[in-house]
């Protein structure tokens, strides 16, 4: 489902990602494990099309990301490390806004929004301004936004950063459920226990390179 070959990115003299290659099969939950600054976010930014690599290719399904960007990106849902929400909107308004950017039909989007809110446990807070949400609730809504158009591939960049253990466990369980339903997931973390609990395979990354890849099952 995802094929990355020879991906590299420099920022000045710093090589943030150094000719990495990996493949993720359909329905797999694949984790990037490494410390802050290892190159995980830069990698996800290139796989999502937010950042153009200096060299290398990204294939999403049958589509080359840079040759067929619109078709490739329609397969993707992205949950960035920074929470991307309009705090003056309520949860439903945020989901309708972001879902509308994918040209989802209104009737389908309404159904998706209701189902996703239930999945992330926010149905009873759907019409409350996001400014009143806790950190964990904002993280769950951030995850919901990445799912609202029902992507085939979900990119998660440290989706539990900065929240308490209870909220973290809730988000990990949601991700586990999404994976069981067949969504292909690329997940980054610097927590070993998260990677061990969630992932089918893990790539250990540091200094812009993949040091080792293997199964945790």
């Amino acid at each position: 489902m995802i094929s990355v070959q020879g991906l590299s990115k420099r920022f000045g003299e710093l090589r943030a990602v150094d000719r990495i290659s990996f493949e993720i099969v359909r329905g797999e939950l694949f984790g990037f494990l490494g410390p802050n600054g290892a190159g995980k976010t830069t990698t996800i930014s290139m796989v999502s099309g937010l950042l153009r690599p200096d060299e290398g290719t990204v294939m999403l399904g049958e589509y080359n990301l840079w040759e067929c960007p619109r078709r490739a990106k329609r397969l993707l849902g992205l949950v960035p490390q920074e929470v991307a929400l309009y705090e003056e909107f309520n949860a439903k308004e945020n989901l309708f806004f972001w879902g509308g950017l994918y040209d989802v039909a209104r009737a389908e989007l309404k159904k998706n929004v209701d189902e996703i809110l239930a999945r992330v446990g926010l149905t009873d807070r759907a019409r409350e301004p996001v400014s009143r949400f806790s950190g964990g609730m904002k993280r769950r809504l951030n995850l919901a936004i990445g799912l609202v158009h029902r992507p085939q591939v979900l990119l998660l960049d440290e989706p539990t950063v900065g929240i308490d253990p209870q909220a973290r466990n809730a988000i990990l369980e949601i991700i586990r459920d999404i994976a069981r339903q067949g969504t292909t997931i690329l997940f980054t973390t610097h927590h070993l226990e998260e990677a061990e609990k969630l992932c089918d395979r893990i790539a250990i990354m540091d200094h812009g390179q993949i040091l080792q890849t293997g199964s945790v099952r």
Side-chain angles (χ1 to χ4, degrees):
M1 194 67 194
I2 303 176
S3 178
V4 170
Q5 300 296 325
L7 210 60
S8 292
K9 185 65 184 179
R10 281 184 177 275
F11 296 106
E13 295 300 313
L14 173 66
R15 187 182 285 273
V17 175
D18 188 9
R19 292 185 293 273
I20 66 170
S21 299
F22 60 92
E23 295 194 0
I24 306 174
V25 301
R26 187 180 300 274
E28 184 176 23
L29 205 167
F30 186 91
F32 267 103
L33 174 66
N36 292 333
K40 304 185 303 295
T41 295
T42 302
T43 299
I44 276 207
S45 296
M46 290 189 285
V47 173
S48 67
L50 292 176
L51 184 65
R52 187 154 195 146
D54 297 327
E55 57 183 307
T57 61
V58 177
M59 297 291 298
L60 300 173
E62 62 187 282
Y63 303 115
N64 183 301
L65 178 59
W66 296 105
E67 293 178 0
C68 304
R70 289 180 65 86
R71 291 183 177 181
K73 289 179 182 180
R74 283 186 180 276
L75 303 177
L76 282 177
L78 173 64
V79 180
Q81 188 174 142
E82 298 298 325
V83 174
L85 303 171
Y86 288 102
E87 298 219 346
E88 66 273 23
F89 290 178
N90 64 37
K92 272 200 167 185
E93 289 168 340
N94 268 280
L95 287 167
F96 273 110
F97 173 80
W98 292 106
L101 298 180
Y102 287 91
D103 296 325
V104 181
R106 184 73 179 182
E108 181 183 354
L109 182 57
K110 184 178 184 302
K111 179 182 177 183
N112 289 357
V113 166
D114 290 340
E115 290 180 357
I116 293 301
L117 282 169
R119 173 176 281 185
V120 300
L122 291 174
T123 299
D124 61 338
R125 311 294 287 271
R127 299 192 182 277
E128 185 175 331
V130 170
S131 59
R132 299 180 190 172
F133 281 15
S134 67
M137 290 168 63
K138 288 178 181 179
R139 282 285 168 193
R140 280 186 278 152
L141 182 57
N142 207 44
L143 176 58
I145 286 170
L147 294 167
V148 72
H149 60 295
R150 299 190 182 280
Q152 295 182 38
V153 177
L154 185 63
L155 308 179
L156 302 169
D157 190 13
E158 300 201 22
T160 64
V161 67
I163 57 176
D164 63 73
Q166 184 177 3
R168 176 187 293 179
N169 288 335
I171 287 176
L172 294 180
E173 186 54 43
I174 294 166
I175 294 169
R176 192 178 290 114
D177 182 60
I178 295 164
R180 290 192 194 107
Q181 296 182 25
T183 303
T184 304
I185 298 177
L186 173 57
F187 172 90
T188 76
T189 182
H190 58 267
H191 295 291
L192 177 59
E193 70 275 14
E194 286 189 358
E196 288 180 327
K197 285 180 181 179
L198 279 182
C199 299
D200 301 310
R201 285 191 301 140
I202 297 172
I204 298 173
M205 190 172 192
D206 200 8
H207 298 294
Q209 295 182 323
I210 294 175
L211 305 180
Q212 186 72 42
T213 302
S215 172
V216 296
R217 302 289 182 243

